[in-house]
Amino acid sequence: MASAYILVVDDEPDIRALLKEILEEEGYEVGTAESAEAARAARLARRPDLVLLDIWMPGDDGITLLKEWQEEGAINVPVIMMSGHGTVETAVEATRLGAYDFIEKPLSLAKLLVTVQRGLQAFNLYRENLGLRRRGGNLDEPVGRSAAMQALRDQVARIAAHDTPVLLLGEAGSGKGSFARYIHESGPRASGPFIDVGVVSLNGDNPAIELFGSEEGGQIHYGLLEQANGGTLFLDDIGDLSDGLQARLLGALESGSYHRIGGNEPVKVELRLIASSHYNLEQRVAEGRFRHDLYYLLNVLPLLIPPLREHAEDVPELLNYYTDQLVAQDKLPYRAFSVAAQNRLRHYAWPGNVRELRNLVQRLLIVGNSESIEAEEVEAALGAQPQAAATGGAIAYELPLRQAREQFERDYFEHILREYDGSVVKAAKHAGVERTHLYRKLRALGIDAKHVGK
């Protein structure tokens, strides 16, 4: 596993040598640069996890360099400023430009090491929080005491100990993202970054740049692979990756390096890849819609996440879990599910799986006003979707606006998907929305386009 890579920028050779020695003894990888120009070249060659930047240097000073990085949007790692002649004004300016901290020379090595450690921890926490907000979850182990979930956790414990790619299979909404994070947190790369991305979001104007980064006009954009270096990259719904990106990704994984878009020098990549798919990738390979060599690379450690209907005995525990989570995170009022309500939900088919269950809990906490959630309220919530279909799209006017809108959107998009045999591309064109927006909307509504089209 790769350690954190720290770039030391200082014009004094003795300080560079001392910091390199001390930091390497602490287990970090260290690069050095004697000037702003050398620092630019070092950042071009490899993305640092943290920068120690001197202020007073020949040529461009550290503040000028920091400002340059801020203007190009490149301060995506903690920068610790160093100075032997600092002032309050200088420290304030550095902080305004995005510096993580400011330490004075002569350096206290104990303070330096603590500041470096805290800087790395703070940035890793920041990245984790970004991922958590995107997923709406947390780092707890997957919930459930059923035999199926226990066997799955045992499999994950064995898989996590190895560093090979993992392919998570299962229906939409079954919890593949939670298991990806759990594998990362249970493995040797837990202290490294966990970068997760929905592949459908890469199919915009510049998907290659988002994944592999770019070097254009002297500015560097670090792609997702580089951001995940030393940790884990999770590609959700990899079956939607374009042919061109499949080829580039395969080349990067096999060779351990790649070129940023517009770049001339190779960038080393050392990470664990976890991918998920709700498609039958073997079938897509046979149809020529997914590269066979990439499939074989990913399929070393396949892990099938079962649909919720196959471990329905976990439903009461999941209801309690998401109730507590939503009360704590979204400050929603606490409401308890009655035994009758839990029993009704244990016998529900859950076409949208765990994601649908979480959305249902959220809806019931928002719209209800009693302390207990009874079976009748659950029945009404579950009946909203089939009622729209049965009445030919009629709106249930007695529902709150949020619930009525969700009911209409679910019925509307399911109707269009049935008309186009599950084709999201055609449905997006018909609805007049961007394809990536429609993918996100379908996920939020718990709709699996592939199954709707059947």
Side-chain angles (χ1 to χ4, degrees), residues 46-313:
R46 181 177 180 184
R47 172 186 175 276
D49 295 301
L50 181 142
V51 179
L52 288 168
L53 178 59
D54 189 25
I55 290 181
W56 308 114
M57 300 183 294
D60 290 336
D61 60 84
I63 294 293
T64 298
L65 188 59
L66 185 66
K67 184 176 181 181
E68 175 186 310
W69 291 346
Q70 186 215 42
E71 288 175 348
E72 69 179 50
I75 303 184
N76 51 9
V77 299
V79 178
I80 299 172
M81 306 299 294
M82 305 181 295
S83 174
H85 307 283
T87 64
V88 173
E89 291 77 11
T90 306
V92 170
E93 176 69 2
T95 303
R96 185 184 68 80
L97 292 171
Y100 171 74
D101 208 340
F102 183 98
I103 56 178
E104 292 182 321
K105 295 179 181 178
L107 298 173
S108 162
L109 295 182
K111 180 179 179 181
L112 175 74
L113 292 176
V114 168
T115 305
V116 165
Q117 183 181 32
R118 288 177 177 171
L120 290 168
Q121 289 175 343
F123 187 64
N124 282 336
L125 181 61
Y126 167 74
R127 286 190 295 197
E128 288 292 345
N129 286 339
L130 285 180
L132 291 175
R133 283 197 293 271
R134 284 196 296 268
R135 297 236 164 235
N138 57 31
L139 300 181
D140 294 343
E141 69 176 30
V143 177
R145 303 178 188 177
S146 63
M149 290 299 290
Q150 186 56 55
L152 206 52
R153 282 193 291 268
D154 292 342
Q155 280 184 278
V156 167
R158 293 192 294 271
I159 286 173
H162 303 280
D163 211 26
T164 50
V166 179
L167 179 60
L168 301 174
L169 303 170
E171 295 179 6
S174 56
K176 297 186 290 294
S178 297
F179 273 97
R181 187 177 291 277
Y182 186 47
I183 291 170
H184 168 75
E185 290 295 317
S186 303
R189 295 183 179 274
S191 61
F194 178 85
I195 304 297
D196 66 281
V197 59
V199 166
V200 293
S201 69
L202 293 174
N203 295 325
D205 294 334
N206 295 300
I209 288 178
E210 188 170 353
L211 192 57
F212 296 98
S214 66
E215 299 173 21
E216 296 178 345
Q219 296 186 352
I220 307 172
H221 170 73
Y222 295 118
L224 294 167
L225 262 74
E226 211 162 348
Q227 294 176 38
N229 230 349
T232 300
L233 176 66
F234 173 48
L235 293 178
D236 192 13
D237 286 336
I238 196 170
D240 291 311
L241 201 64
S242 68
D243 292 342
L245 290 182
Q246 287 181 38
R248 292 186 69 106
L249 177 62
L250 177 66
L253 296 174
E254 288 184 332
S255 65
S257 66
Y258 62 93
H259 289 80
R260 301 188 192 101
I261 306 303
N264 297 317
E265 297 298 324
V267 176
K268 292 183 179 179
V269 61
E270 201 272 320
L271 51 78
R272 179 175 205 167
L273 178 67
I274 302 178
S276 76
S277 179
H278 61 270
Y279 294 112
N280 182 330
L281 286 185
E282 190 172 5
Q283 180 179 338
R284 289 176 79 84
V285 168
E287 296 170 351
R289 302 173 69 184
F290 197 82
R291 292 183 65 100
H292 68 279
D293 40 11
L294 180 57
Y295 171 69
Y296 294 137
L297 184 147
L298 294 172
N299 202 40
V300 175
L301 290 175
L303 185 67
L304 178 63
I305 312 301
L308 182 52
R309 61 183 174 275
E310 293 184 6
H311 58 106
E313 61 267 42

Side-chain angles (χ1 to χ4, degrees), residues 3-6 8 16-32 113:
S3 347
Y5 170 60
I6 297 174
V8 177
R16 292 199 306 273
L18 175 63
L19 290 178
K20 180 177 174 62
E21 180 182 354
I22 295 296
L23 291 169
E24 286 181 342
E25 285 180 359
E26 294 295 316
Y28 300 113
E29 288 188 72
V30 182
T32 61
L113 292 176

Side-chain angles (χ1 to χ4, degrees), residues 407-417 427 430-432:
Q407 170 190 312
F408 170 77
E409 288 180 340
R410 183 179 290 108
D411 183 52
Y412 174 78
F413 287 121
E414 284 188 343
H415 173 77
I416 295 175
L417 286 166
H430 176 99

Side-chain angles (χ1 to χ4, degrees), residues 335 337 344-345 348 350 356-357 359-365 367-368 373-388 396 398-400 403-404 406-407 410:
R335 305 184 68 205
F337 284 82
R344 173 64 183 94
L345 292 172
Y348 176 60
W350 296 112
E356 183 185 3
L357 182 145
N359 291 344
L360 177 69
V361 172
Q362 185 177 37
R363 184 187 315 145
L364 291 170
L365 293 181
V367 303
I373 300 173
E374 301 296 337
E376 294 78 12
E377 188 177 355
V378 165
E379 199 68 53
L382 294 179
Q385 179 178 338
Q387 177 184 357
E398 71 278 5
L399 294 176
Q403 204 169 338
E406 185 174 304
Q407 170 190 312
R410 183 179 290 108

